[in-house]
C-alpha cells in the first residue's frame, strides 16, 4: 500500500451518478437500502450504510462527501478507548470491538462525518475508511469509489501526487476553477482533497475562517495543558484560605479549623463516647 494515500475530488467533473456510492456499499457489505434519516440529522446523505454521498448544490454542482482522513484527526483524539486510529500509512480507521458508543468522535469531527448505526441492536460508528483493508491486502489497487467513477471525477494517488494534480488542473483552467485546493491546510491538512468551481464551505460544520488551519487536537491540548495548573492553583488557593482562617482563630484565642486539640475535638469525642456507651463498651 502506498504511503500517505489521498483522494482528489473534482467537483467540476462529477455528474452525480452515485456509482461511487454504490461501489462503496458493495465493497463494504453495506445495505443497499439507506436507513431513513433521523429527525434533525444532517441532510448531506451520509449515514451508517452510506459512507460517501453526493451533495447536490443549487447551482448544479455535485459534491462527493466522505471522511477527509485528516492528518491530525479530531475523532482519534476525542475517542477515549482508541476505537478510531490513524494508521501509519494515513487513513483513519475504526475498530468496532473497542467502541463503547460514547459518540465523542461524532461531536469532535469538524466535517460532521461519523454516523451512528441507530438501526442496529449493537450500534457502532460508521464512516469511510479509505478501503484500508482492501488496499493493504492488495485486493484493491485503489478505493472502490474511485475505480467506479465513470467521469473520472475522483482520483487516487499519494497526497503529494494529488496536490500536484490539483494544482495542475487549476493552472490549466483558471477560468473554470476557483484558485483553491480544499484540504491543503484546513485543520492541519486532509487526505481527501477538492478542487471546484463553487465554494465548498458547506463541507465543514463551520466556515473555513472559523475552522482554521490548526489541527483541532492541538487546540484541545492548548486548553487541556492548563488543567494541571488550574487544578494545583486552586489547591494552593484553598490552602492559603485555610491558613488565614486558622491563624485568625488562633490569634483570637479560639481554635483553628485544623486544630487537633481536645477543645476542638470535644464534640467528636463526646459523640464517640456516647456511641461507645451505647454499645456497652468500657469508656
Ligand atoms: S474527517 Fe472527521 S471522521 Fe474523518 S478523520 Fe477527520 S475528524 Fe475523523
Ligand atoms: S474510500 Fe472506500 S470506504 Fe471510503 S467512500 Fe470510497 S469506497 Fe467507501
Ligand atoms: S461516480 Fe463519479 S461522477 Fe458519479 S457521483 Fe460519484 S464522483 Fe460523481
Amino acid at each position: 500500500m502506498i504511503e500517505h494515500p489521498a483522494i482528489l475530488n473534482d467537483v467540476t467533473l462529477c455528474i452525480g451518478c452515485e456509482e461511487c456510492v454504490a461501489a462503496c456499499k458493495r465493497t463494504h457489505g453495506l445495505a443497499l437500502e439507506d436507513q431513513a434519516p433521523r429527525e434533525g440529522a444532517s441532510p448531506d446523505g451520509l449515514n451508517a450504510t452510506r459512507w460517501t454521498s453526493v451533495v447536490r448544490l443549487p447551482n448544479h454542482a455535485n459534491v462527493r462527501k466522505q471522511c477527509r482522513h485528516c492528518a491530525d484527526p479530531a475523532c482519534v483524539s476525542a475517542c477515549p478507548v482508541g476505537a478510531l486510529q490513524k494508521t501509519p500509512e494515513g487513513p483513519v480507521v475504526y475498530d468496532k470491538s473497542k467502541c463503547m458508543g460514547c459518540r465523542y468522535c461524532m461531536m469532535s469531527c469538524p466535517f460532521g462525518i461519523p454516523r451512528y448505526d441507530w438501526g442496529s441492536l449493537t450500534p457502532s460508528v460508521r464512516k469511510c475508511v479509505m478501503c484500508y483493508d482492501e488496499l493493504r491486502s492488495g485486493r484493491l489497487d485503489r478505493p472502490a469509489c474511485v475505480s467506479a467513477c465513470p467521469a473520472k471525477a475522483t482520483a487516487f494517488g499519494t497526497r503529494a501526487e494529488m496536490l500536484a494534480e490539483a494544482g495542475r488542473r487549476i493552472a490549466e483552467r483558471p477560468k473554470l476553477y476557483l484558485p483553491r485546493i480544499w484540504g491543503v491546510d484546513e485543520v492541519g491538512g486532509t487526505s481527501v482533497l477538492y478542487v471546484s468551481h463553487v465554494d465548498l464551505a458547506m463541507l465543514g460544520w463551520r466556515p473555513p475562517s472559523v475552522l482554521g488551519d490548526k489541527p483541532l487536537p492541538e487546540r484541545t491540548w492548548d486548553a487541556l495543558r492548563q488543567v494541571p495548573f488550574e487544578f494545583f492553583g486552586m489547591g494552593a488557593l484553598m490552602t492559603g484560605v485555610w491558613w488565614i482562617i486558622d491563624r485568625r482563630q488562633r490569634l483570637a484565642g479560639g481554635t483553628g479549623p485544623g486544630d487537633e486539640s481536645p477543645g476542638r475535638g470535644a464534640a467528636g469525642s463526646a459523640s464517640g463516647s456516647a456511641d461507645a456507651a451505647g454499645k456497652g463498651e468500657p469508656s
Side-chain angles (χ1 to χ4, degrees):
M1 180 176 177
I2 59 174
E3 290 286 313
H4 308 300
I7 290 174
L8 171 63
N9 287 319
D10 187 333
V11 177
T12 70
L13 296 176
C14 180
I15 56 176
C17 64
E18 299 204 0
E19 287 295 326
C20 50
V21 179
C24 179
K25 282 175 173 281
R26 280 194 303 273
T27 304
H28 298 284
L30 304 173
L32 295 180
E33 286 294 315
D34 286 321
Q35 291 174 359
R38 282 170 63 85
E39 195 178 338
S42 169
D44 62 10
L46 289 178
N47 62 46
T49 60
R50 184 178 268 248
W51 298 355
T52 182
S53 64
V54 180
V55 180
R56 291 159 206 281
L57 298 183
N59 44 11
H60 305 295
N62 301 305
V63 184
R64 188 157 84 86
K65 194 168 178 183
Q66 64 186 120
C67 170
R68 301 284 292 273
H69 297 278
C70 307
D72 197 350
C75 59
V76 172
S77 171
C79 179
V81 292
L84 283 148
Q85 286 291 330
K86 177 91 177 155
T87 60
E89 298 89 347
V92 177
V93 298
Y94 169 74
D95 183 346
K96 181 179 176 176
S97 69
K98 291 184 182 167
C99 179
M100 63 177 186
C102 66
R103 306 195 291 280
Y104 285 171
C105 53
M106 293 169 64
M107 287 180 268
S108 68
C109 174
F111 303 107
I113 298 295
R115 299 298 152 98
Y116 204 54
D117 194 358
W118 297 101
S120 167
L121 289 175
T122 55
S124 54
V125 170
R126 313 304 297 271
K127 73 167 195 74
C128 159
V129 290
M130 209 188 257
C131 294
Y132 181 70
D133 287 344
E134 290 75 12
L135 293 173
R136 196 149 175 260
S137 66
R139 285 200 298 278
L140 294 179
D141 63 353
R142 63 193 60 206
C145 54
V146 174
S147 297
C149 178
K152 304 212 178 320
T154 178
F156 179 71
T158 66
R159 189 166 187 270
E161 287 169 348
M162 291 300 99
L163 284 172
E165 175 63 18
R168 189 186 62 75
R169 292 186 192 190
I170 293 171
E172 278 182 3
R173 304 188 69 184
K175 287 191 178 156
L176 174 62
Y177 291 98
L178 294 177
R180 174 172 178 190
I181 304 169
W182 278 265
V184 177
D185 301 315
E186 290 162 284
V187 295
T190 69
S191 295
V192 172
L193 307 162
Y194 289 84
V195 285
S196 175
H197 57 301
V198 297
D199 185 70
L200 299 180
M202 40 67 68
L203 285 173
W205 268 4
R206 296 176 176 190
S209 58
V210 177
L211 276 181
D213 295 341
K214 198 171 183 180
L216 294 190
E218 264 185 40
R219 293 190 187 190
T220 315
W221 275 111
D222 285 347
L224 287 179
R225 254 195 294 271
Q226 303 302 321
V227 170
F229 298 105
E230 301 292 343
F231 183 77
F232 291 120
M234 184 57 75
L237 179 68
M238 297 309 291
T239 304
V241 169
W242 178 87
W243 184 84
I244 291 168
I245 295 172
D246 186 48
R247 187 162 178 273
R248 275 190 187 163
Q249 288 186 347
R250 280 174 195 278
L251 290 174
T255 56
D259 200 332
E260 296 294 335
S261 67
R264 180 177 183 274
S269 299
S271 71
S273 299
D275 285 347
K279 288 172 186 163
E281 290 171 5
S283 60

